Amino acid sequence: MDRSVLGASVVSPVVALPLCVSGVDLPLTGLLFLALAYAARRRPAAAGLALAAACSLKWTAWPAVAVAVALLAQRGGTRAAVRGAAVAVAGTVLLVLPSALLFPGPLVQQVFAFPTGRRPWQTPAASPLPGRLLADLGPAGWYAAVALLLAGGLAVAVSLVVRPPYGLVSAADRLAAGLCVAFLLAPAGRFGYLALPVTLAVPARLPGGARGGEPLRGRVVRSSRPARPAHAPAVRGDR
């Protein structure tokens, strides 16, 4: 890891709390960043493996599959995108299937019931985010929160098709935006979830973080020596 990325991660208050209380948020963020970096470097198999590991850790990693596939399609073509998606899906199934068959109840509770606010008990970490406030109004509010969540997800998906990400920074930004929409509008959520998009987008902008194929747009390379006209004779020192 680049020293600037490591230093910013250690001193950031957003990362300090998960670092102290453990959990899977930090390794999840690292895997997502690694997947986007591999996708920007046209390595679909490596990106798919990183996505599979992330998706097996937590459901919040699933939107990263769409962003990484869009980035692979932009950087490496349709074949690379299909290969990356296939590796991600197959790897996730292989990692999750054993526990899903042995313990289907906890999987349903954690992956489907909790994000939609349909869990039989309330979490003490719940935060007054817009989706949660709407869901507390009753069944109509819950349906409104779910409808807004689906509309936000559809808007991000359309943006991936209309204007796909072209490099690591733009892909990290798009994934961070999608995760922010999901966390803010989900019927159940907490402020701590927002640490994931923040810690995902920041390293891409640090020195050494944006080496994933970002195009050099609007940059003019200037020579430190003035150009010599073609008809001018050579002088001593130009040889």
Side-chain angles (χ1 to χ4, degrees):
M1 178 182 290
D2 188 89
R3 290 182 180 180
S4 58
V5 176
L6 180 61
S9 300
V10 171
V11 303
S12 172
V14 177
V15 185
L17 180 60
L19 194 63
C20 294
V21 301
S22 186
V24 299
D25 290 335
L26 289 183
L28 177 66
T29 305
L31 287 170
L32 295 181
F33 189 82
L34 186 64
L36 296 181
Y38 278 137
R41 287 167 171 78
R42 305 179 186 90
R43 299 180 60 181
L49 291 175
L51 287 170
C55 292
S56 65
L57 283 179
K58 204 170 185 179
W59 61 269
T60 52
W62 292 356
V65 177
V67 177
V69 168
L71 179 58
L72 283 170
Q74 182 74 1
R75 301 287 296 168
T78 304
R79 185 175 180 180
V82 172
R83 184 182 179 188
V87 173
V89 173
T92 303
V93 171
L94 290 176
L95 292 173
V96 175
L97 187 60
S99 62
L101 294 177
L102 293 175
F103 309 102
L107 177 68
V108 173
Q109 290 291 333
Q110 294 291 336
V111 177
F112 299 103
F114 176 73
T116 58
R118 293 304 190 184
R119 206 170 180 181
W121 58 87
Q122 297 293 331
T123 172
S127 302
L129 297 175
R132 168 68 188 278
L133 295 177
L134 279 174
D136 288 344
L137 297 178
W142 183 86
Y143 284 112
V146 172
L148 290 174
L149 178 62
L150 294 177
L154 180 61
V156 176
V158 170
S159 74
L160 291 175
V161 177
V162 175
R163 190 177 181 182
Y166 50 80
L168 178 58
V169 174
S170 57
D173 286 347
R174 199 72 56 87
L175 179 56
L179 291 176
C180 283
V181 170
F183 297 153
L184 290 174
L185 298 179
R190 57 188 178 89
F191 288 122
Y193 286 164
L194 297 176
L196 176 57
V198 171
T199 54
L200 183 66
V202 170
R205 288 175 164 75
L206 295 176
R211 295 174 183 170
E214 292 287 347
L216 300 177
R217 297 185 175 182
R219 297 185 181 180
V220 177
V221 179
R222 299 182 183 275
S223 174
S224 60
R225 296 178 59 181
R228 178 165 52 88
H231 62 273
V235 295
R236 185 176 300 176
D238 285 346
R239 298 177 183 177

